[in-house]
Amino acid sequence: IKVENLHVHTPGMEKILLDDLTYTVNCGDRIVLTGENGSGKTTVAKALLNQWDYGSGKVGIPDNMSVMTVSQKPFFPNTTLRGILNGKPDEHPVYDDSELTWALQEAGHDRLIQHIPGQQVNILVDELLEGIERKLPMNTAKVFSDHFEDEFEFYIQSVVPKMVAEQFDIVQFVTPDAKEHIREKLNTVLDESEAVDACTDRLADEIDRALTKPLLRSLEDDIERLAAKKRGWLAPLTQHKIEFMAGSLEKQLGRYLDSYMANDDTDDKHRPIRINEFQARYVSSQVARRFIEESSQYKAKGALAKLFNILTAPISYALQLRWKAGSAALDLKSAITHFMSRQVVTGAQFEAQLSGGEKQRLMFAKIFLQKPDFLIADEITAALDVDTGEHMYAKMMDILPDTSTVISIAHNPHIRKYHCIHGHLANRDITFKPVEQSDLQTASP
């Protein structure tokens, strides 16, 4: 990168920041740029990228060089996490999801992996299978027995809900690929194909049930909210009619959820997070079960019963019962789809939810992925503690190719050790010198 007679000033020539700089930044240089506050370090960096209009001179950057600028207050486009890391719309990714997962793990952002559909589920499956292999009596000679079945059932019922609660805040589901991974792993430790199939289905179903818990909790609140708008409650019905209405509710809610999963209920064809068929059936059955529990002849005043809002005497017409069930199912479907739409966290929400340090670590993940030819890092550890900042810088320099050029703007002296050249901006000029041993000693914690 060849800089010739570069002159940089503020708008209206109020302040000259750089006067007649000529310098060549060689491929692979790692430069740390320091200077007093207000000396113009960030502005000079912008001038190097032709992002500043006030000044003169020449900056020659090779064709096809990938350039990235990261500031201490990162900007997140209003797209999904996949789009933020790729720097492209979701439908045109540059990196596959496994690469995104790797980058987030390297940046210490494991909790964000759940926002890349399927990836955190794959990690959970691997951890569960490791635990099963370690704790349960399985080997290649083992046949499926009642004893093993009991051990397996106890393990997944005690471990799966806890691990899902620790790793997930949003609804996900076991993908077909993840289920096949379970089957392949169990196939290596169980001899009987029936045993493999049974254990695979049981484990996948338990994970899917646990992953619907945020939705079911939200639905509990929504039922109370929707019922509060109704008048009266369900008139006492015979057990037969209660079961008829529960069955009708389950079927109609199931059909609505099928439409949701197929994306037939919206023009948004890129809606990325859905529930799977098993979870849809599970949610519908849980709603029907609750209706039966609170709609007995002697207690017909629960929120879900009230949602049906049958004010007349006991109804005898099946068509009328079905219509009431359909009305309630439509209300619940709207509540579910509204909740699911909030499961897709976008850039604006990341902006509000993440701390300053978390935002900076997310930008490190983007650097790890994109490995730019020319990186300008402007105080990108300002919100991190010293140890974390050093760890991120050391990892970044290790991951970036030797040919990548890095210019770091940093007040933190501990960052200096990761560079070979120290540039200091003062008196309208930048003086360059090698980073010396004395600098490294001063920078040591």
Side-chain angles (χ1 to χ4, degrees):
I1 301 171
K2 296 183 178 180
V3 180
E4 297 180 8
N5 307 117
L6 183 62
H7 177 92
V8 181
H9 59 82
T10 58
M13 291 290 289
E14 292 181 3
K15 183 178 181 180
I16 297 174
L17 304 175
L18 191 64
D19 192 13
D20 199 29
L21 174 69
T22 297
Y23 186 75
T24 298
V25 180
N26 295 309
C27 182
D29 278 354
R30 308 291 166 89
I31 302 172
V32 58
L33 181 60
T34 62
E36 297 293 329
N37 287 329
S39 59
K41 301 183 294 298
T42 298
T43 303
V44 169
K46 289 180 179 180
L48 292 177
L49 297 176
N50 195 29
Q51 295 176 352
W52 188 254
D53 295 333
Y54 307 98
S56 61
K58 295 181 180 179
V59 178
I61 298 179
D63 292 338
N64 301 319
M65 173 179 276
S66 60
V67 178
M68 181 185 292
T69 305
V70 182
S71 68
Q72 61 179 304
K73 293 182 178 180
F75 166 75
F76 297 112
N78 199 27
T79 183
T80 64
L81 181 61
R82 187 188 280 134
I84 290 171
L85 291 173
N86 274 285
K88 298 283 185 180
D90 267 12
E91 55 269 29
H92 302 294
V94 179
Y95 309 99
D96 63 39
D97 287 351
S98 63
E99 292 174 297
L100 305 186
T101 299
W102 165 81
L104 289 171
Q105 289 173 324
E106 291 295 314
H109 253 320
D110 296 58
R111 192 74 181 183
L112 290 187
I113 294 172
Q114 63 179 317
H115 294 284
I116 303 172
Q119 291 302 300
Q120 187 65 42
V121 174
N122 293 342
I123 294 171
L124 172 70
V125 164
D126 283 335
E127 292 175 354
L128 286 168
L129 291 173
E130 288 174 7
I132 290 170
E133 196 169 18
R134 186 171 60 250
K135 295 184 178 181
L136 298 185
M138 294 196 296
N139 54 58
T140 54
K142 178 72 180 176
V143 296
F144 196 58
S145 65
D146 290 341
H147 173 66
F148 172 74
E149 186 175 9
D150 292 341
E151 292 279 346
F152 184 83
E153 186 70 20
F154 176 78
Y155 178 80
I156 64 175
Q157 285 188 0
S158 60
V159 173
V160 169
K162 180 180 178 181
M163 291 184 67
V164 168
E166 290 173 349
Q167 297 184 23
F168 292 86
D169 300 314
I170 61 176
V171 176
Q172 290 273 1
F173 61 88
V174 178
T175 63
D177 287 344
K179 192 168 184 177
E180 186 58 34
H181 180 53
I182 296 173
R183 180 173 281 104
E184 290 173 0
K185 183 68 174 179
L186 293 178
N187 202 42
T188 65
V189 291
L190 289 172
D191 284 341
E192 296 182 3
S193 60
E194 289 184 7
V196 171
D197 291 342
C199 290
T200 297
D201 291 342
R202 186 67 193 88
L203 179 56
D205 290 351
E206 190 66 34
I207 295 172
D208 275 335
R209 284 194 191 95
L211 288 169
T212 60
K213 288 298 173 62
L215 172 56
L216 290 174
R217 284 195 299 268
S218 174
L219 201 54
E220 288 285 324
D221 296 335
D222 286 327
I223 288 172
E224 300 291 338
R225 176 180 56 80
L226 290 166
K229 297 179 180 180
K230 302 290 184 178
R231 295 179 181 176
W233 50 83
L234 185 70
L237 300 173
T238 64
Q239 190 64 29
H240 173 73
K241 290 178 180 177
I242 289 173
E243 291 174 359
F244 177 86
M245 291 189 73
S248 181
L249 171 63
E250 184 174 354
K251 288 178 183 178
Q252 294 190 66
L253 182 57
R255 284 198 291 268
Y256 284 134
L257 292 180
D258 286 341
S259 179
Y260 167 76
M261 290 185 293
N263 246 349
D264 294 335
D265 63 332
T266 179
D267 292 331
D268 180 10
K269 298 304 179 185
H270 302 292
R271 191 166 53 190
I273 294 182
R274 302 176 178 88
I275 55 179
N276 64 15
E277 184 177 348
F278 174 84
Q279 289 173 315
R281 300 284 82 78
Y282 177 63
V283 170
S284 299
S285 67
Q286 288 297 101
V287 171
R289 181 190 60 79
R290 173 175 169 173
F291 175 74
I292 291 174
E293 289 176 353
E294 64 179 43
S295 301
S296 69
Q297 254 182 316
Y298 304 104
K299 184 184 177 184
K301 298 184 181 180
L304 189 55
K306 189 177 179 183
L307 186 59
F308 282 81
N309 192 27
I310 298 177
L311 300 175
T312 62
I315 299 171
S316 58
Y317 298 105
L319 184 62
Q320 193 171 4
L321 293 174
R322 192 177 294 117
W323 180 83
K324 289 290 186 179
S327 176
L330 184 60
D331 284 340
L332 295 175
K333 175 259 184 184
S334 297
I336 290 171
T337 54
H338 178 64
F339 171 81
M340 293 301 291
S341 71
R342 302 199 309 272
Q343 300 295 282
V344 185
V345 180
T346 57
Q349 292 156 301
F350 283 121
E351 188 77 33
Q353 294 175 8
L354 298 182
S355 68
E358 288 172 328
K359 294 173 187 176
Q360 290 185 340
R361 284 193 286 119
L362 183 53
M363 289 298 99
F364 271 106
K366 191 170 182 178
I367 294 169
F368 298 161
L369 270 176
Q370 300 193 12
K371 301 180 181 65
D373 299 320
F374 182 22
L375 170 67
I376 292 183
D378 187 356
E379 296 284 6
I380 60 173
T381 62
L384 299 172
D385 61 79
V386 171
D387 290 342
T388 303
E390 285 201 42
H391 178 69
M392 287 290 100
Y393 245 93
K395 186 164 288 191
M396 179 180 76
M397 294 304 191
D398 185 53
I399 290 174
L400 287 175
D402 293 339
T403 53
S404 290
T405 300
V406 178
I407 297 180
S408 297
I409 300 171
H411 287 103
N412 187 347
H414 302 103
I415 300 304
R416 199 171 302 168
K417 69 175 84 171
Y418 302 103
H419 303 79
C420 56
I421 298 172
H422 178 199
H424 187 72
L425 174 59
N427 301 319
R428 304 179 182 179
D429 190 24
I430 301 177
T431 55
F432 294 94
K433 67 176 183 178
V435 174
E436 299 173 352
Q437 190 64 30
S438 59
D439 293 322
L440 300 184
Q441 291 172 350
T442 301
S444 297

